[in-house]
């Protein structure tokens, strides 16, 4: 989760003595279940997280470096991938148990939620004209995005008066993609506070039968700079490792937000439209935001039946409520776990 990266202080716990390597003969998934440790493994990035008692360990296959609680770095035996399972040594588990027993009084919270209504002004986004009640009506993406963003913003402001709820635009104005990401990356929050980025859009397709809503997050295959280079200290070789680990944490949390929002939309919309699922892509507005970010496609204006739904304020209120419920569920999970999000491996 995004903390102010300039405030990430890396404590190097290297020792100069020779390290004794033990055999990786412990199944991390099995051991985690036995010890009450929440275990998440991203098979695409080959990166994982362990969480217990409000503490977190971020690790990577074949890497001796692990990040503890997102503020410290340590060395331990490198995890190994065998038969599609992660195996670790006794030393790895012992080191993890030491961290999990530490007293942790720090409480993390979501400090700001940025809602980005896609397109606007001279950029209408996707649009289509249909005959409604005998009149030609042009349904424009920019209008739908703004209505949902404002409805979502109002609900969040009411529920979370202590958090910053920011809209990139609250009227029909044009903003470049760069301006949107600059707004996101310039949000000021406290030391232990996170920023969430929610981008609202509507879809279109040459296939008029395409329909449904989907939630996108940044592809794990894309790498961005999310860590201040000074955080790696004098050893420049550490920077790409640390940056990659932190970026993977953002990806993990983006996936978690996407899942909660998808569940929220399904609950509110029901069978009025179909859930197309959670997807990964390298959207500009997402990949350039240095925080957990998702992009929501509410439906297809190119599908007449769905376009009429997207033109209906009652339906848009349902969609906004679904997104709100998903964001609220994520906030509850994040703040209860003291800022660390993860899920059990299936």
């Amino acid at each position: 989760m995004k903390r102010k990266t300039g405030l990430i202080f890396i404590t190097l716990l290297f020792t100069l003595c020779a390290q004794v390597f033990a055999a990786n003969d412990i199944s991390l998934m099995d051991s985690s279940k036995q010890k009450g440790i929440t275990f998440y493994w991203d098979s695409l990035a080959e990166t994982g997280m362990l969480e217990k008692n409000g503490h977190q360990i971020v690790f990577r296959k074949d890497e001796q470096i692990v990040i503890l609680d997102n503020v410290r770095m340590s060395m331990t035996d490198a995890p190994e991938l065998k038969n599609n399972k992660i195996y670790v040594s006794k030393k790895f588990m012992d080191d993890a148990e030491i961290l999990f027993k530490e007293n942790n009084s720090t409480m993390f919270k979501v400090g700001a939620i940025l809602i980005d209504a896609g397109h606007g002004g001279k950029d209408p986004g996707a649009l289509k004209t249909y005959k409604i009640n005998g009149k030609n009506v042009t349904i424009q993406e920019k209008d739908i995005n703004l209505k949902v963003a404002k409805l979502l913003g109002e609900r969040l402001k009411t529920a979370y008066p202590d958090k910053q709820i920011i809209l990139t635009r609250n009227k029909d104005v044009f903003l470049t993609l760069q301006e949107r990401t600059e707004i996101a990356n310039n949000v000021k929050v406290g030391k232990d506070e996170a920023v969430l980025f929610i981008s609202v859009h509507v879809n279109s397709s040459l296939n008029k039968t395409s329909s449904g809503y989907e939630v996108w997050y940044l592809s794990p295959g894309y790498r961005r700079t999310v860590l201040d280079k000074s955080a790696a200290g004098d050893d420049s070789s550490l920077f790409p490792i640390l940056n990659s680990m932190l970026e993977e944490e953002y990806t993990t949390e983006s996936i978690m937000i996407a899942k909660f929002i998808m569940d929220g939309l399904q609950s509110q919309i029901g069978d009025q439209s179909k859930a197309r699922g959670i997807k990964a892509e390298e959207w500009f507005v997402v990949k350039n935001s240095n925080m957990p970010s998702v992009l929501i496609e509410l439906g297809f204006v190119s599908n007449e039946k769905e376009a009429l739904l997207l033109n209906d304020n009652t339906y848009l209120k349902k969609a906004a409520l679904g997104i709100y419920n998903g964001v609220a569920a994520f906030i509850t999970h994040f703040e209860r776990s003291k800022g660390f999000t993860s899920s059990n491996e299936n």
Side-chain angles (χ1 to χ4, degrees):
M1 179 55 62
K2 180 176 189 276
R3 259 55 94 195
K4 300 282 287 181
T5 52
L7 297 175
I8 297 177
F9 300 101
I10 304 297
T11 303
L12 299 181
L13 302 179
F14 293 107
T15 58
L16 298 177
C17 59
Q19 185 177 8
V20 177
F21 292 93
N24 286 332
D25 54 7
I26 299 173
S27 166
L28 186 54
M29 182 176 67
D30 294 342
S31 182
S32 295
K33 288 181 179 178
Q34 294 171 4
K35 297 177 182 293
I37 300 170
T38 303
F39 170 46
Y40 174 86
W41 173 247
D42 186 335
S43 59
L44 292 177
E46 297 187 326
T47 299
M49 288 195 290
L50 299 176
E51 187 270 317
K52 184 179 179 181
N53 297 334
H55 291 288
Q56 179 199 51
I57 298 173
V58 178
F59 64 90
R60 172 171 289 166
K61 178 183 77 78
D62 298 333
E63 290 283 359
Q64 295 170 252
I65 298 173
V66 296
I67 297 178
L68 312 176
D69 286 352
N70 206 25
V71 294
R72 291 182 289 159
M73 186 175 71
S74 186
M75 293 285 285
T76 188
D77 291 345
E80 183 180 358
L81 183 63
K82 297 187 292 187
N83 299 321
N84 294 319
K85 277 193 171 185
I86 287 292
Y87 286 85
V88 297
S89 68
K90 182 177 183 300
K91 172 177 169 51
F92 183 98
M93 293 307 303
D94 289 344
D95 289 344
E97 287 293 346
I98 291 172
L99 173 71
F100 294 146
K101 289 178 182 178
E102 288 183 7
N103 180 43
N104 185 0
S105 58
T106 301
M107 294 299 292
F108 295 102
K109 61 180 290 189
V110 172
I113 303 166
L114 188 65
I115 306 167
D116 175 47
H119 306 281
K122 65 181 183 181
D123 176 16
L127 73 165
K128 188 74 174 178
T129 300
Y130 297 98
K131 191 173 290 292
I132 302 176
N133 297 325
K135 296 181 180 180
N136 287 331
V137 177
T138 299
I139 300 173
Q140 301 183 97
E141 177 183 0
K142 67 174 184 177
D143 299 330
I144 298 167
N145 297 343
L146 184 57
K147 286 180 182 179
V148 173
K150 291 173 76 171
L151 288 168
L152 175 60
E154 289 169 5
R155 284 189 174 276
L156 288 169
K157 286 177 181 178
T158 300
Y160 302 104
D162 60 323
K163 304 184 190 303
Q164 299 179 64
I165 310 301
I166 305 167
L167 273 67
T168 56
R169 66 181 183 96
N170 56 17
K171 55 185 178 181
D172 187 19
V173 295
F174 174 75
L175 293 173
T176 67
L177 295 176
Q178 187 63 46
E179 286 174 324
R180 295 171 193 272
T181 55
E182 285 176 0
I183 292 171
N185 293 329
N186 286 323
V187 175
K188 305 298 182 184
V189 292
K191 176 183 177 182
D192 297 317
E193 292 183 337
V195 180
L196 308 182
F197 186 88
I198 313 294
S199 190
V200 181
H201 285 257
V202 171
N203 227 328
S204 184
S205 173
L206 294 176
N207 183 351
K208 295 181 180 180
T209 64
S210 295
S211 66
Y213 52 90
E214 53 201 24
V215 187
W216 295 76
Y217 66 93
L218 185 67
S219 167
Y222 182 85
R223 286 289 169 266
R224 54 185 170 174
T225 300
V226 296
L227 181 69
D228 191 310
K229 290 190 175 182
S230 64
D234 296 330
D235 191 344
S236 60
S237 65
L238 294 177
F239 177 77
I241 298 173
L242 297 175
N243 182 76
S244 182
M245 285 184 168
L246 185 58
E247 198 278 333
E248 286 305 333
E249 187 177 356
Y250 287 0
T251 299
T252 298
E253 288 155 347
S254 297
I255 294 171
M256 185 70 71
I257 298 170
K259 287 180 178 177
F260 280 126
I261 290 177
M262 178 57 66
D263 289 344
L265 286 170
Q266 285 182 279
S267 176
Q268 290 300 315
I269 292 175
D271 60 2
Q272 287 187 274
S273 182
K274 68 178 181 181
R276 293 168 61 92
I278 298 168
K279 303 182 180 182
E281 186 55 273
E282 296 169 13
W283 296 95
F284 181 93
V285 73
V286 173
K287 75 180 182 182
N288 288 284
S289 300
N290 295 333
M291 61 195 67
S293 315
V294 294
L295 187 147
I296 304 161
E297 294 278 10
L298 290 169
F300 286 77
V301 294
S302 50
N303 180 305
E304 184 172 2
K305 179 181 177 182
E306 195 152 84
L308 296 180
L309 284 175
L310 294 169
N311 194 51
D312 178 48
N313 288 332
T314 300
Y315 183 81
L316 295 185
K317 287 179 181 178
K318 288 182 180 181
L321 178 57
I323 298 170
Y324 163 79
N325 287 340
V327 173
F330 176 82
I331 291 172
T332 298
H333 178 89
F334 176 75
E335 294 185 346
R336 282 182 179 174
S337 63
K338 300 183 181 180
F340 305 130
T341 64
S342 49
S343 61
N344 291 319
E345 181 183 64
N346 294 323

